[in-house]
Amino acid sequence: MIRFEDQAGLRVVTLDRPDKRNALTPDMLCDLYGAFMFRGDAQSAVRAVLLRGEGPVFCSGFDLDLCQDDGPEQQMMRTFLISLSEVVKQMRRSPVPVVLAAHGAAIAGGCALLGGADVVVAERGAKLGYPVVRLGISPAVSAPFLLDAVGPGPARRRLLDPTLFDGAEGARIGLVHELVEERGEVAPRAHEIARDLASKPPLAMKATKKWVLEVAGEAKMEGRAARALDASVSLVAGDEAIERLQGLWKTR
Amino acid sequence: MTDLAKLNIDGPVATLAFNRAEQRNALSIELLDALHVKVDQLAEADGVVVTVITGAGRAFCAGMDLKQVIIDADKGGSGKPDLPRRLLASLGRLTVKIRTLPSVVVAKVNGAAIGGGCGLACVCDAVVTHEDAKLGFPEVDLGLCPAVVAPWLVRKIGAGPARAVLLRGGVMSGGRAGEIGIADVVCPDRDSLDAATDEVVRRYTESGALALTATKNLLNDLDRSRDETIVLRGAELSAGVLATEQAQASLVSRLR
C-alpha cells in the first residue's frame, strides 16, 4: 500500500490505499520509513522525493478500525504514534528535498506527515488539521515538527483546537508553501517542483537542507520529539481515550 | 467593595473578567492582586476545561493604570517610587500563571487591549476578537518599553513580526490583529463576539480534557513558557525605562 519508484533522480512515493482515503496502517508507516532510506545506487541517484496520495485525498490519518480490537494497553495506537514519529524524523533526515502533495485532505496523522516535508503543495480548499483531541488523543507527537514549521502561536492554536482548517489558512501560517486553486492542480504542481529540485546541483541541495535544519535547532529535535511522543503515548490507555474511541465505534 | 476580578465557574467553563470598567480595566496593583487570587483558584479547580478571560464593560484591558505608573504625587502619580516595578513584576508573574493553567485559555477581546492588556491576550491559547476592537503595543510612543509582554508576543506571532509590531508602536484594528496572527478568530462586530467565543469554547469542551491538558503542557514545555526568568527580566527592563524622566514626563502629559 506504499509504492515508490525512482525515475530520473526523482523518487515518487505513493500512499496507495485510495478506497480508505489512504488511511495509514503500521505496515504502511514501516514501508514509508523505508521509502526514505537510500541504499546503494539510490544514494547518489535520488535527488528529490515526492510524497503523494492516490485517490481523492492525500491521507486521512491512522486507520482507527485497526484499534477496535486493541487490548487494554492500546498497543496498536502506541505503535501508530511511535511509527509516525519515526517516519517524520526519517523524512527530515532525508538528505534530499522532500515535496509533499497534500491534495484534498491531510488529517491527523496525515497532517503530521507535512512536518517531514520541505515543500508542501495544497489547494485552497484542502482540509487540514489535527482533530484528535476529540478522541481523547493528544496530537503532541506532532508538536515539535509543527512548531518548527509555523512557530508556537499557530501551532498552539491548531493542536488544541480540533477544527479543521483549509489550505489557504495553512498557507497563511506557513504549513503550506505553495497554494493552488483546484485539487487537480496539486499533483502536477508538486511533480513540477520536485522535478525542478531534483535537477539542481545535489551537493548544494544537500548542504543547504542540512544547514538550514541545523541552524533552526535540529540537534535538539530528537529529544523534543521523544518528549512529545511520550506525551501522546502516555494517554492512550487512559479512560478518556478508551471511552472516546469506543464512542467512535458506536457511531460507525 | 466590588470584586476587581470576577471568576465564574460553570461546569467545564470558567470565565475570568477584569472588573474595573470605569477605568477601562486598567491594571492597578489591586486588580493584579485580585487576578492572582482568582488564577490561583483556577489552577486548583477541578473539571475546568476552558477558561475565558474578558473585560467588563467596553474595554478588554487598557494596560497599566496610568496613575500608578506615574511616580510624582504632585503630578497626579502615586508617590510610591517602587509601585511601577511591583506592578510590572506582578503582571509578569500573572502571565506565566495564566499560561500554565491546566485549562485551555481563551481571550475574549471585547474591546481595547492595549500594552499589558494586549500581552494578557497573547498569553492565552486562543484569541477571539472583533473587527472594531483596538489592540496593540503603543509603549514606545510613550517612551516605554514593552519588555515584560514581549516574550508572549514573540511566542504568538514569531520574532520577526513581533519586532515590527513592538517597534512601530500604535494600535491596530481587530481585523489587522487577525492578519498578523495576534487574534485567531475575528468576528465582524461586537454583537457577534459572544456567539463566536461560545463556538470556540464548545470545540474545547467537546474534546478530551486530558488530551487538551497534555498537549498544552507539552507545548508549554517546548516553547519554554514556564520560564518565569525571562518575563521577570522583562519586567525589570520595563520598570527601568518607565522610571526615566522622559517616560515619566510623557505619562504625565497623557494624564492631563
Side-chain angles (χ1 to χ4, degrees):
Chain A
M1 286 174 282
I2 298 289
R3 52 188 172 82
F4 67 90
E5 53 186 340
D6 295 348
Q7 204 175 51
L10 177 62
R11 172 168 293 184
V12 178
V13 181
T14 302
L15 310 181
D16 192 10
R17 206 187 174 204
D19 54 320
K20 293 279 188 184
R21 297 168 68 85
N22 296 322
L24 298 164
T25 65
D27 283 351
M28 286 167 76
L29 285 164
C30 192
D31 290 350
L32 204 48
Y33 186 94
F36 285 88
M37 284 168 68
F38 306 97
R39 293 199 188 83
D41 291 347
Q43 189 105 33
S44 53
V46 175
R47 293 182 173 188
V49 180
L50 169 66
L51 177 58
R52 58 179 290 275
E54 196 68 53
V57 303
F58 169 67
C59 179
S60 58
F62 299 155
D63 184 348
L64 293 175
D65 289 347
L66 299 177
C67 298
Q68 193 160 4
D69 302 317
D70 223 349
E73 292 306 307
Q74 302 291 301
Q75 198 51 47
M76 182 61 76
M77 184 61 83
R78 283 172 203 269
T79 304
F80 268 131
L81 291 164
I82 294 165
S83 310
L84 176 68
S85 181
E86 289 301 327
V87 167
V88 175
K89 285 191 293 178
Q90 178 72 357
M91 289 170 73
R92 296 173 72 90
R93 279 194 294 262
S94 155
V96 297
V98 178
V99 179
L100 189 149
H103 75 290
I107 307 215
C111 201
L113 292 175
L114 273 58
D118 299 300
V119 181
V120 175
V121 184
E123 84 272 17
R124 192 168 288 280
K127 290 188 166 68
L128 308 171
Y130 309 86
V132 296
V133 286
R134 288 195 205 279
L135 299 176
I137 297 167
S138 167
V141 61
S142 295
F145 314 119
L146 189 65
L147 279 166
D148 182 62
V150 305
R156 185 171 287 264
R157 166 85 201 291
R158 292 305 170 192
L159 290 179
L160 291 174
D161 189 330
T163 316
L164 299 181
F165 53 100
D166 64 13
E169 171 68 2
R172 192 188 68 79
I173 64 177
L175 186 61
V176 171
H177 308 105
E178 192 153 324
L179 198 61
V180 295
E181 292 301 319
E182 302 295 333
R183 188 181 300 199
E185 297 170 51
V186 175
R189 182 62 189 137
H191 240 107
E192 196 177 3
I193 294 170
R195 271 196 304 270
D196 179 49
L197 298 187
S199 75
K200 293 181 190 294
L203 285 179
M205 295 297 280
K206 186 177 170 180
T208 305
K209 174 166 179 175
K210 190 161 177 260
W211 180 242
V212 174
L213 284 167
E214 191 177 327
V215 295
E218 194 71 2
K220 291 184 179 162
M221 191 54 93
E222 187 77 28
R224 289 161 73 84
R227 272 143 70 196
L229 177 62
D230 275 351
S232 285
V233 167
S234 68
L235 292 180
V236 298
D239 291 346
E240 179 181 282
I242 289 175
E243 275 167 28
R244 282 172 178 262
L245 277 169
Q246 282 171 350
L248 179 72
W249 312 135
K250 283 184 193 136
T251 60
R252 283 195 174 179
Chain B
M1 192 182 144
T2 53
D3 276 339
L4 290 168
K6 277 204 306 200
L7 175 62
N8 177 54
I9 298 180
D10 181 10
V13 183
T15 304
L16 175 62
F18 311 123
N19 190 28
R20 226 188 146 212
E22 292 75 38
Q23 287 79 29
R24 302 171 75 226
N25 302 316
L27 298 166
S28 61
I29 197 76
E30 295 80 9
L31 172 54
L32 283 164
D33 284 347
L35 287 167
H36 274 280
V37 170
K38 301 298 186 191
V39 173
D40 288 344
Q41 280 177 24
L42 266 173
E44 301 299 323
D46 281 336
V48 175
V49 179
V50 189
T51 298
V52 177
I53 299 185
T54 192
R58 295 185 59 79
F60 176 74
C61 172
M64 289 298 169
D65 185 301
L66 207 50
K67 288 184 177 171
Q68 295 195 350
V69 291
I70 294 171
I71 294 164
D72 192 341
D74 295 339
K75 291 177 178 160
S78 69
K80 296 175 186 165
D82 70 322
L83 183 55
R85 178 166 267 106
R86 283 200 288 130
L87 262 172
L88 287 157
S90 176
L91 172 62
R93 281 194 303 273
L94 181 68
T95 55
V96 177
K97 273 187 194 173
I98 291 173
R99 183 71 152 201
T100 51
L101 280 173
S103 51
V104 177
V105 184
V106 177
K108 180 181 183 180
V109 179
N110 50 308
I114 310 295
C118 198
L120 280 169
C122 287
V123 76
C124 297
D125 298 303
V127 177
V128 185
T129 191
H130 59 90
E131 287 284 348
D132 305 326
K134 290 279 176 281
L135 296 90
F137 298 91
E139 279 90 338
V140 288
D141 301 310
L142 297 165
L144 305 176
C145 171
V148 62
V149 288
W152 302 116
L153 184 66
V154 169
R155 290 186 185 112
K156 185 77 189 171
I157 66 173
R163 203 151 63 219
V165 166
L166 295 179
L167 292 174
R168 292 182 70 184
V171 293
M172 67 189 94
S173 68
R176 175 71 186 144
E179 283 167 18
I180 66 170
I182 288 180
D184 299 295
V185 176
V186 182
C187 57
D189 49 43
R190 175 68 185 83
D191 291 341
S192 46
L193 185 65
D194 287 349
T197 308
D198 290 348
E199 166 66 19
V200 171
V201 166
R202 195 177 53 77
R203 293 177 205 154
Y204 296 126
T205 53
E206 285 177 2
S207 299
L210 296 177
L212 287 172
T213 302
T215 308
K216 176 169 171 168
N217 285 342
L218 189 268
L219 288 165
N220 282 344
D221 178 17
L222 293 181
D223 74 7
R224 307 179 59 148
S225 286
R226 288 173 224 282
D227 178 11
E228 203 178 65
T229 322
I230 185 79
V231 172
L232 291 180
R233 272 175 55 208
E236 271 299 308
L237 177 57
S238 288
V241 174
L242 192 145
T244 59
E245 265 179 54
Q246 193 183 44
Q248 287 292 311
S250 164
L251 290 169
V252 169
S253 74
R254 287 269 299 189
L255 194 58
R256 288 188 184 129

